[in-house]
Amino acid sequence: TVKEKNVALKIASPMGDIYLDHASITEICGKLGDKDLQFDLNKKSSSSSENAYSLEFKKSGTSDTFVLNSSKVELTLPLPKDAVSSPAATRKSGNFTYKIDGKDAEFDKESKLAKLKLDQTKEFSVLSNKAAEKQIRASIKLSTVKLNKVSASSDGKIKLTISKGDGNTPTYYYVYRSTKKSSGYKKIGSVKYLSKDTYTYTNSTNLKKGTKYYYKVRGYYKSDGVVVYTKYSTVKYATCKKTRK
C-alpha cells in the first residue's frame, strides 16, 4: 500500500525515461500482491522515420501480465530523425493500429522528444506522421464488396442489392453510376453500414426511359484521418423503364 500521496518514481533507461506517478504506483501495488514488478520496455526496431517499442507489466517470476485500468505510465522517448518536423505516435490494439490520442502524446521538436502516457500496449511506435498514416492504412483489412443485383422497376426506379464479403466492414458503401460500362462513373449516393450482411440502394432521380445505366460500389473507411477504400465491385446494369427527374 502506498501511503504517501506525492510519491512518484522515475526510471532512466537507455531507451528513454519511465515515470510512475502516485496513482499508477498505487494501482500496480494492488495488482502485484506479494510479487515484485517486472517492467519490460523493449525496442523492437528503428529507422530514420520510426522507433517501434513493446511494453509489458509482469509479476516477477511469473508469465502473468496485467494492464492498468485507472492510471497510466509516462514515457519520454526520442523522436526519429525524419519525425521531428511532423511527429506522431501509434499503438496496436488487436488487428488495428491507431494514433495515440493528442492528450496522451506530446512532442517537443526542440528537444526531439516524445512524451507518451500509456496503460499497456504490446506494440507502439514513435514515428513521422506520414509513416503513421501508412501504418494505419496497412492495418485496415476491409472486406470485399459485392454488387449482387441491379433491377429496374416499372415506376422508373433502379434498385441495387449490396453485400459484404470477408474482412473488416467499411463505414459506408459508395454507389457509382455511368451510362458507359468502362468510364464516366460518378458517385451518386451511399449506404451506411449497420451490422447487416445485405443492403439495398434505390436510384430514383435523374433517370431516362430506355437508357442503360451501369453501377458499381466500393467500401469506405476512415480512421484517424486516414481514408481507405475497398476495390470496386463488378459492374452491373439495368435499363430504365420510366423517366424520373
Side-chain angles (χ1 to χ4, degrees), residues 141-184:
K141 310 296 183 183
L142 292 182
S143 63
T144 54
V145 179
K146 299 177 182 178
L147 180 54
N148 298 321
K149 186 178 180 182
V150 174
S151 57
S153 57
S154 58
D155 61 359
K157 297 178 182 179
I158 297 178
K159 180 179 177 181
L160 286 68
T161 304
I162 305 163
S163 66
K164 74 178 190 70
D166 297 328
N168 300 315
T169 53
T171 309
Y172 289 94
Y173 297 108
Y174 283 178
V175 180
Y176 300 82
R177 187 187 77 179
S178 177
T179 54
K180 299 177 182 179
K181 184 177 181 179
S182 302
S183 64

Side-chain angles (χ1 to χ4, degrees), residues 22-237:
H22 177 265
S24 57
I25 292 174
T26 300
E27 185 173 357
I28 287 170
C29 288
K31 292 178 179 293
L32 289 174
D34 60 352
K35 299 289 185 181
D36 293 328
L37 172 65
Q38 181 178 331
F39 191 105
D40 291 342
L41 173 63
N42 298 302
K43 194 170 188 178
K44 298 174 68 67
S45 64
S46 64
S47 68
S48 62
S49 61
E50 178 183 0
N51 288 336
Y53 302 88
S54 65
L55 171 65
E56 281 189 330
F57 305 141
K58 292 182 180 179
K59 294 180 179 180
S60 184
T62 74
S63 59
D64 296 339
T65 62
F66 61 89
V67 299
L68 299 180
N69 300 315
S70 59
S71 61
K72 295 182 179 181
V73 173
E74 188 176 291
L75 304 172
T76 302
L77 303 165
L79 287 172
K81 179 181 177 181
D82 294 349
V84 174
S85 61
S86 181
T90 60
R91 63 180 177 85
K92 287 190 176 182
S93 179
N95 294 324
F96 285 97
T97 298
Y98 301 92
K99 280 188 179 178
I100 297 176
D101 188 82
K103 65 182 180 180
D104 289 331
E106 299 177 4
F107 306 100
D108 188 329
K109 296 180 182 180
E110 186 174 341
S111 63
K112 300 178 182 179
L113 294 173
K115 184 181 290 185
L116 309 181
K117 294 180 181 179
L118 303 170
D119 46 10
Q120 182 199 37
T121 179
K122 290 284 186 180
E123 297 180 45
F124 65 97
S125 296
V126 177
L127 66 179
S128 68
N129 193 62
K130 184 177 180 180
E133 291 183 356
K134 183 178 179 181
Q135 198 179 81
I136 292 168
R137 186 174 287 108
S139 75
I140 302 171
K141 310 296 183 183
L142 292 182
S143 63
T144 54
V145 179
K146 299 177 182 178
L147 180 54
N148 298 321
K149 186 178 180 182
V150 174
S151 57
S153 57
S154 58
D155 61 359
K157 297 178 182 179
I158 297 178
K159 180 179 177 181
L160 286 68
T161 304
I162 305 163
S163 66
K164 74 178 190 70
D166 297 328
N168 300 315
T169 53
T171 309
Y172 289 94
Y173 297 108
Y174 283 178
V175 180
Y176 300 82
R177 187 187 77 179
S178 177
T179 54
K180 299 177 182 179
K181 184 177 181 179
S182 302
S183 64
Y185 285 90
K186 293 184 178 180
K187 178 173 169 285
I188 60 168
S190 63
V191 181
K192 187 174 183 179
Y193 175 73
L194 296 170
S195 300
K196 299 190 298 183
D197 290 331
T198 304
Y199 298 82
T200 59
Y201 175 86
T202 302
N203 182 191
S204 58
T205 59
N206 299 317
L207 294 162
K208 186 177 180 180
K209 182 179 179 180
T211 300
K212 186 181 289 185
Y213 291 97
Y214 295 89
Y215 297 87
K216 61 183 179 180
V217 297
R218 65 173 173 171
Y220 162 94
Y221 186 91
K222 186 175 182 179
S223 177
D224 289 324
V226 178
V227 173
V228 179
Y229 293 99
T230 66
K231 292 181 178 180
Y232 285 105
S233 69
T234 54
V235 173
K236 293 186 182 294
Y237 70 89

